[in-house]
Amino acid sequence: MLIAQFQNGEIPSRGILTYLKADSIITELASEIKEKDASHWVFIYKERKLIVLYERDKNRINIVHAITRSSDLNKKEMKEILSANWYKTNDVRYSFHDGWLWSNFSHKINTLTEEEFVDGIHQVFTLAKNYGTYYMSIDPVWEEEKQDNIFND
């Protein structure tokens, strides 16, 4: 039911996220859970491998997805990534770690709602999917070739 509501743009109202609630949400959204323990999950969401790090001692939760090796990026892509982080990525960011470009959502656990967690998973997925095209964490509502641009002659 949660999946259907989210796909229809409805995120049901819920409370602050707990480990058990996170586990329940991931179990519902994932097509497969590859790994799971008290501090992380590795799962498949819409054919991409996402990782959730639940760090109680730091009061942080991170949702990440490896996009490409950082050594494969050219100067134009680097500029797009840095520009996108400023105004196109909403609650997620492009990040570099351990030789990879990642889509990354990071939040304090004690203030994160279940709605924000579900939205964070979707934004991490969408930012990775839109890498190389729109560089956005939400899908655009226009078709690029039909985009109204007031600066065109």
Side-chain angles (χ1 to χ4, degrees):
M1 179 162 159
L2 180 64
I3 295 170
Q5 289 174 317
F6 189 77
Q7 289 171 340
N8 289 331
E10 305 167 17
I11 301 175
S13 180
R14 298 186 182 190
I16 298 296
L17 188 74
T18 64
Y19 175 85
L20 291 176
K21 289 178 184 178
D23 185 58
S24 176
I25 290 168
I26 292 168
T27 299
E28 189 172 343
L29 293 177
S31 59
E32 178 184 357
I33 297 178
K34 300 266 190 188
E35 294 178 30
K36 171 185 158 182
D37 65 21
S39 63
H40 84 286
W41 294 262
V42 178
F43 61 99
I44 305 300
Y45 176 71
K46 297 185 181 183
E47 300 182 10
R48 290 186 186 260
K49 182 168 71 171
L50 273 63
I51 302 167
V52 173
L53 305 172
Y54 195 90
E55 301 175 290
R56 286 181 181 91
D57 60 326
K58 297 177 184 173
N59 190 32
R60 298 303 298 178
I61 191 165
N62 290 285
I63 307 166
V64 298
H65 171 68
I67 299 171
T68 189
R69 292 201 176 276
S70 54
S71 60
D72 293 340
L73 298 173
N74 62 41
K75 188 174 180 178
K76 180 181 181 285
E77 290 167 323
M78 289 292 294
K79 182 180 175 186
E80 289 287 347
I81 289 164
L82 291 172
S83 295
N85 270 350
W86 180 255
Y87 66 98
K88 292 182 175 182
T89 59
N90 296 317
D91 301 318
V92 297
R93 296 289 175 261
Y94 287 111
S95 304
F96 292 97
H97 177 70
D98 203 21
W100 285 85
L101 172 66
W102 297 81
S103 176
N104 178 27
F105 172 86
S106 181
H107 203 286
K108 290 174 76 171
I109 293 171
N110 67 354
T111 60
L112 182 64
T113 66
E114 293 175 61
E115 298 90 349
E116 291 167 330
F117 180 64
V118 171
D119 193 46
I121 290 171
H122 186 68
Q123 284 191 53
V124 165
F125 165 82
T126 305
L127 187 63
K129 179 185 75 164
N130 287 336
Y131 166 76
T133 57
Y134 301 110
Y135 296 92
M136 296 170 64
S137 65
I138 59 171
D139 284 320
V141 294
W142 67 86
E143 294 179 38
E144 190 66 29
E145 59 275 355
K146 295 181 181 177
Q147 181 180 0
D148 183 23
N149 187 337
I150 62 172
F151 300 108
N152 286 344
D153 291 317

